[in-house]
Amino acid sequence: NARDILKNELREVLAKGTASSADSAQTGSGSTRPDFGSLEVYYQTVHRAEGGYAASGAEALVRWRHSQRGLLTPASFIPAAEEGGLIDALGFWVLREACKAACKWPVETFVAVNVSPAQLRRPNFAEEVFTVLEETGLPPSRLELELTESSLIEDNSDVYTVLKTLRSRGIQISLDDFGTGFSCLSHLVRFDIDRIKIDRSFVSQLGAKANGAAIIGAIVTLSRNLGISTTAEGVETEYQRDFLTALGCTDLQGYFFSKPVPLRELDCFAKSEGGA
Ligand code: C2E
Ligand code: CA
Ligand code: CA
Ligand code: CA
């Protein structure tokens, strides 16, 4: 079936990348970084609601430039990667690319990287993340890892330890798609979450259904009292931007500000001077 075909193709892409990096390491030529060729990381900016909507950071979103199928979004291949045991290789490649990219952005910005539940289950996950930070030179405080609640629900004490270790070094932890899952409030405190990302489904209800505003308002108030930042996802209109700002969201993200773009098109973090 289609997913199996994709899985095998993705396995090939990842295997080729890993092999070529081993080659170059052996011959001592060039970098030891896997070159996954047809995979590409796009970036979508996140904007601070306070004081004029300057970009505060960007989220890394993976794409696969498939030779026959065109540009694939993650929904079409992340499940295959998870099933096929490929999500670790893919995830670490994205992490490394994102950290390298962010090193060239202004020092006050962050880069956010999505993490699958399967990645978080690896006992060595935190150490592997620290290694990438050391190799790329990105300060831990500039990295944000986006988890979904399903990662936390398993009530795996290993996950708790991994998150604690990550946070102890200053890495930020955010909870993605908030409001769509169990949204167990005790998770926020127990796992010491830094940021909540309010799911697009609530944002798109603004103006249409009264519930959207009530739910977002409640999430924002709760988060503020717990000292947690709130990013509203999927902001598409000026009306939504203004409404979410009035509700007190700390950050906003969505097509209204920018679609995800390739690194070379991420103009807002470009250094204005030629040097450094
Ligand atoms: P997500 O983390 O919730 O990312 C937000 C998704 O919403 C992105 O889809 C983004 O392009 C889209 N989006 C952003 N603003 C708007 C908007 O204003 N309107 C609408 N309609 N959509 C908007 P994308 O890039 O297709 O990614 C889908 C999901 O795939 C992500 O959802 C994330 O869960 C996953 N994903 C992406 N990259 C990675 C990765 O490197 N690793 C893992 N494990 N998952 C990833
Ligand atoms: Ca995300
Ligand atoms: Ca999300
Ligand atoms: Ca989402």
Side-chain angles (χ1 to χ4, degrees):
N1 69 21
R3 187 180 278 191
D4 285 336
I5 294 170
L6 266 187
K7 220 185 288 177
N8 288 331
E9 287 175 347
L10 188 60
R11 184 171 285 125
E12 251 169 60
V13 169
L14 293 167
K16 222 182 269 169
T18 309
S20 73
S21 85
D23 283 354
S24 64
Q26 255 171 17
T27 59
S29 69
S31 80
T32 57
R33 176 180 62 86
D35 174 14
F36 291 157
S38 50
L39 294 178
E40 202 173 330
V41 182
Y42 276 40
Y43 296 89
Q44 185 181 34
T45 50
V46 176
H47 297 257
R48 215 180 296 291
E50 188 97 315
Y53 304 105
S56 48
E59 177 177 0
L61 294 158
V62 69
R63 299 287 182 266
W64 182 5
R65 202 170 289 285
H66 193 280
S67 51
Q68 280 111 52
R69 297 168 203 242
L71 191 67
L72 300 182
T73 54
S76 61
F77 63 90
I78 290 280
E82 284 174 337
E83 261 181 41
L86 305 168
I87 194 67
D88 282 316
L90 180 71
F92 272 98
W93 178 78
V94 173
L95 178 69
R96 189 177 299 270
E97 290 297 301
C99 291
K100 275 196 321 183
C103 283
K104 304 206 170 90
W105 304 346
V107 292
E108 66 279 8
T109 62
F110 66 86
V111 67
V113 177
N114 293 285
V115 177
S116 285
Q119 290 178 272
L120 215 58
R121 268 183 238 122
R122 288 164 68 88
N124 278 338
F125 181 74
E127 278 65 36
E128 289 166 340
V129 171
F130 298 144
T131 303
V132 172
L133 288 171
E134 272 159 29
E135 284 172 8
T136 57
L138 187 75
S141 60
R142 295 189 55 203
L143 175 64
E144 217 169 88
L145 296 178
E146 298 195 358
L147 325 175
T148 54
E149 288 201 290
S150 56
S151 297
L152 310 181
I153 283 165
E154 295 165 18
D155 193 30
N156 183 333
S157 62
D158 290 346
V159 169
Y160 178 80
T161 309
V162 165
L163 290 183
K164 208 173 151 173
T165 311
L166 290 166
R167 289 195 83 260
S168 71
R169 301 269 194 105
I171 291 170
Q172 307 285 303
I173 304 295
S174 72
L175 210 46
D176 211 345
D177 304 335
F178 192 79
T180 57
F182 280 82
S183 302
C184 182
L185 298 180
S186 64
H187 285 156
L188 299 177
V189 180
R190 171 161 144 83
F191 292 98
D192 221 344
I193 300 296
D194 298 290
R195 180 190 296 277
I196 285 172
K197 299 194 76 174
I198 301 169
D199 193 69
R200 186 170 81 223
S201 55
F202 301 112
V203 172
S204 60
Q205 284 176 23
L206 288 178
K209 288 191 210 159
N211 287 346
I215 292 170
I216 294 172
I219 295 175
V220 168
T221 303
L222 171 81
S223 305
R224 192 192 286 128
N225 290 337
L226 293 171
I228 297 172
S229 304
T230 40
T231 300
E233 298 187 309
V235 181
E236 294 183 349
T237 67
E238 190 172 10
Y239 172 83
Q240 290 170 346
R241 180 197 70 180
D242 295 344
F243 204 123
L244 293 159
T245 304
L247 283 176
C249 292
T250 59
D251 298 84
L252 307 176
Q253 183 180 10
Y255 294 169
F256 178 75
F257 297 98
S258 170
K259 292 201 165 181
V261 295
L263 183 58
R264 60 185 174 277
E265 289 173 31
L266 192 72
D267 302 325
C268 64
F269 296 150
K271 298 252 162 72
S272 47
E273 311 300 87

